[in-house]
Structures are given as C-alpha cells and as structure tokens.
Amino acid sequence: MAAALSSRIALSAVPLPCVRRAVATSGSAGAEVVKRGAPVVVFSAKKDKRKEERKAKNREKQRDERGETAAEAVKSPSGPSPFESAAAIMQSLTICGSYKDKTGEKLLEGKLMVQEAAEALWNAPFVCASHDAADVFNYGNKAALSLWGLSWEEFIGLPSTKSAQAEDGIQSERRELLDKAAATGIVRDYSGVRQTSAGRRFEMHGATVWTITDSEGAKTGQAVRFDAFTWLDADGDEDVDSVEQEMVVTVRGEIVRRPVASASAPESTEAPSLSAEVSSSADVDAASAAVEEQAAEVRRLKQEEGLSNADKEVQIAVEELLQRKYTLAALKK
C-alpha cells in the first residue's frame, strides 16, 4: 500500500505535458487508470526544437544546392504539394474549364485525369494565376509563385492589387483591363507592368486575361496566363544593368532568360562521327560543371554575403543558374 502511494506521488510530480501514459478505459464512467508496468516517457522540448531546426537547415541547404528560392520550392515544410489540396484541384479545373469556354481552346495539352490536370497546371510552361470576385488571389501555379517571390500560403488570400505598383496610373490601367475582360469575357495579347513582392518591376507580354463565370453566367473571378516577360528598371524601361532581361517560362514552370538566337550552321548530310559524339559528351560535362559553379555562387551570396532571395544580386544569380540548367537539359536530350 505504501509502495503504491509512493508511486502515485512520484508520477504526479512529473509535469503532465511531458508524460506519455498508456491508459485503459474501465467502467461505465470511462475512468482512466494507469496500466501496471506502463512506461513513463519524459520528452525534452529543447531536444525536439533542435531537431526541427536541423531539419529546417537541411531543407534550406538542399534548396540552395538546387538553386531554388523559397517560392520555387513552393512546397509546404511537410505534407503534400499545394496543387494536391482539394481547393487547389477544384480551382485548377475551374481555370481550365473557363479557359476552354472563353477561347474554345485547351489550356493544357492531352487527355488528363483530375489529379493529372492539377499537377500539369502547377508545372505548366506559363505563369497562371486567378483571383475571386473580390479580387483576392485564390490560385497561383509554380511559375507565378516563383515570379512574385511568394510561397503558396503568402500568395493565396493576397489582394491582386498588390501585384502592381500603387501608382494611380498603373492601378487604373489594371482596373480598365479587368473591366474590359469582364465585359467581353476575354482579352488577348495584353502587355502590362506588374511588380514582384520585392518591388522589382516587369512587363508581361502576350498575356490572356479571361473572366470566370458560374453556370448562370455570374462573374466568380478572373484568370491570367502568359509565358514571357521583361524585367524593368525603376523608370519602367528595360533593365540595362543586366544583359538579356527578357524571360520565358519553360518546362516544369522554370523561369529562364530567353536563349539568344544564333546563326544556324548549314546542315550536314554526313553521319555524325565518333569525334562529334565525344564532343557532345564533353559539352554535357562542361554544362554540368557550369551548373555546379553557379549553384556555389548562389550559396556564397546567401551564406557569405548575407543576402536573401529579395536582393537583386541573388535574383540575377538564380536566373543565371536556371539558364545553365536549361542549357544542360537541352544537351542531354
């Protein structure tokens, strides 16, 4: 009896949040009783915190090695990707269906199942975003989040007015565009100035803006898609501080500088020689080394210079890294 009383006193002295007890339910009242011999485990909150911090640092390191920004990772710290949520899947289908209704064309190629369509729109080779009837963003694909420099959680729920500068002229022009799309259903080949979350300005090219309606024809939102844009300087002119600032969206939603067209060499009717194959292999090795070199530069800017993804130097370095990855992928085809 004394031993049992002593055991109960010792157990009650341990803070309840730190104790895991195996319990059994007995009696009609459902009272909890401690099983005889059940282990009592005391957890260290500090140990768990250090473990989570190490995981976060490992994720950041892996993202830097891939040359990704936080928005390019566009993935929750744990759990499914944003496009896998029920709300994102439904909005993806709404966007695709409304585009077909307004244009008579498919937004995505091929025959796709529901989940496949959501993933295809997420990784599409174009920027795609939508807002609801109150002009609040309710969808942005991978390219859109990368361009605006925001995570899914930061983008969803953001007023779409924030996608452009607060200047009266720009906001009024944007409002005029949306009103025209609401009246006509669709506006094609639109060019307009917007800005990223870091305040960097860009001009989208060849954009399509369309209105999303319900079964009764009432407006429920609007969407946009475009696959090319140009970075601008503070005065709204093309950014001359960096070369080749016209950007395009490529496979899997990656944004890269538009490749410079080179004079095409006359086609040869001769079969490729062994030396040509060796040269091709050497080109792949050189391109791989160039990717690793630029990834190291991105890490240096962040770790040694203390810069973040919002700094222009990092943005330019990441753009160069993506361009090198694009070149490498092309050589491997």
Side-chain angles (χ1 to χ4, degrees):
M1 179 67 177
L5 181 59
S6 174
S7 175
R8 287 175 190 161
I9 293 173
L11 180 61
S12 64
V14 180
L16 291 180
C18 299
V19 177
R20 177 186 293 167
R21 298 189 299 169
V23 298
T25 304
S26 63
S28 58
E32 291 185 350
V33 295
V34 179
K35 285 184 175 179
R36 186 178 300 278
V40 177
V41 183
V42 179
F43 293 94
S44 170
K46 290 184 178 180
K47 183 177 179 181
D48 288 346
K49 184 177 180 181
R50 287 196 299 270
K51 185 176 180 181
E52 290 303 316
E53 288 175 348
R54 284 196 299 271
K55 286 183 179 179
K57 286 182 179 179
N58 286 335
R59 286 194 298 267
E60 180 70 22
K61 181 180 179 182
Q62 291 170 0
R63 196 167 65 221
D64 287 343
E65 288 174 350
R66 295 192 299 267
E68 293 179 335
T69 63
E72 287 169 327
V74 288
K75 208 172 187 182
S76 299
S78 61
S81 296
F83 70 84
E84 296 178 298
S85 70
I89 290 173
M90 294 306 297
Q91 186 60 18
S92 298
L93 297 178
T94 297
I95 290 171
C96 292
S98 63
Y99 185 83
K100 181 71 161 47
D101 290 341
K102 295 298 187 297
T103 67
E105 305 165 1
K106 288 184 176 181
L107 185 60
L108 302 171
E109 297 180 0
K111 278 187 156 185
L112 301 170
M113 302 295 287
V114 171
Q115 185 69 25
E116 293 173 332
E119 184 173 3
L121 183 58
W122 176 256
N123 292 310
F126 52 80
V127 172
C128 185
S130 67
H131 63 214
D132 59 21
D135 287 5
V136 173
F137 281 123
N138 55 10
Y139 182 83
N141 69 355
K142 181 179 179 181
L145 301 187
S146 179
L147 174 57
W148 269 283
L150 296 170
S151 66
W152 174 265
E153 291 78 10
E154 292 168 333
F155 191 78
I156 302 305
L158 182 74
S160 59
T161 53
K162 300 291 186 181
S163 65
Q165 284 189 305
E167 296 175 8
D168 291 340
I170 292 179
Q171 286 293 334
S172 61
E173 188 272 340
R174 175 184 170 278
R175 186 72 261 163
E176 183 180 341
L177 164 72
L178 297 178
D179 290 344
K180 182 178 179 181
T184 63
I186 185 171
V187 173
R188 293 181 182 268
D189 200 26
Y190 168 77
S191 294
V193 176
R194 298 293 183 269
Q195 71 175 8
T196 69
S197 61
R200 192 176 184 189
R201 304 176 73 190
F202 63 91
E203 182 177 15
M204 65 179 100
H205 305 303
T208 299
V209 180
W210 70 99
T211 296
I212 301 172
T213 54
D214 60 19
S215 57
E216 298 180 354
K219 172 187 168 184
T220 60
Q222 291 173 304
V224 62
R225 63 146 292 175
F226 59 94
D227 57 15
F229 65 92
T230 301
W231 290 120
L232 304 175
D233 61 19
D235 296 324
D237 299 322
E238 289 192 18
D239 192 344
V240 296
D241 292 335
S242 299
V243 183
E244 301 168 10
Q245 285 297 295
E246 187 173 0
M247 314 298 291
V248 293
V249 185
T250 62
V251 291
R252 299 200 64 78
E254 290 191 343
I255 298 175
V256 301
R257 287 203 298 266
R258 185 184 293 279
V260 179
S262 58
S264 58
E267 294 184 3
S268 172
T269 57
E270 297 180 3
S273 64
L274 179 61
S275 61
E277 294 179 4
V278 172
S279 175
S280 177
S281 175
D283 288 342
V284 171
D285 291 342
S288 296
V291 168
E292 293 176 3
E293 178 187 36
Q294 190 61 21
E297 173 62 12
V298 172
R299 290 194 298 273
R300 186 192 69 78
L301 288 172
K302 291 183 176 181
Q303 297 171 3
E304 297 181 16
E305 301 294 332
L307 302 179
S308 69
N309 294 324
D311 291 306
K312 187 174 181 180
E313 292 90 336
V314 174
Q315 293 171 354
I316 292 174
V318 170
E319 289 162 12
E320 175 62 25
L321 176 59
L322 294 176
Q323 177 63 31
R324 294 187 184 190
K325 286 183 176 181
Y326 178 84
T327 301
L328 176 60
L331 288 172
K332 286 182 175 180
K333 288 183 180 179

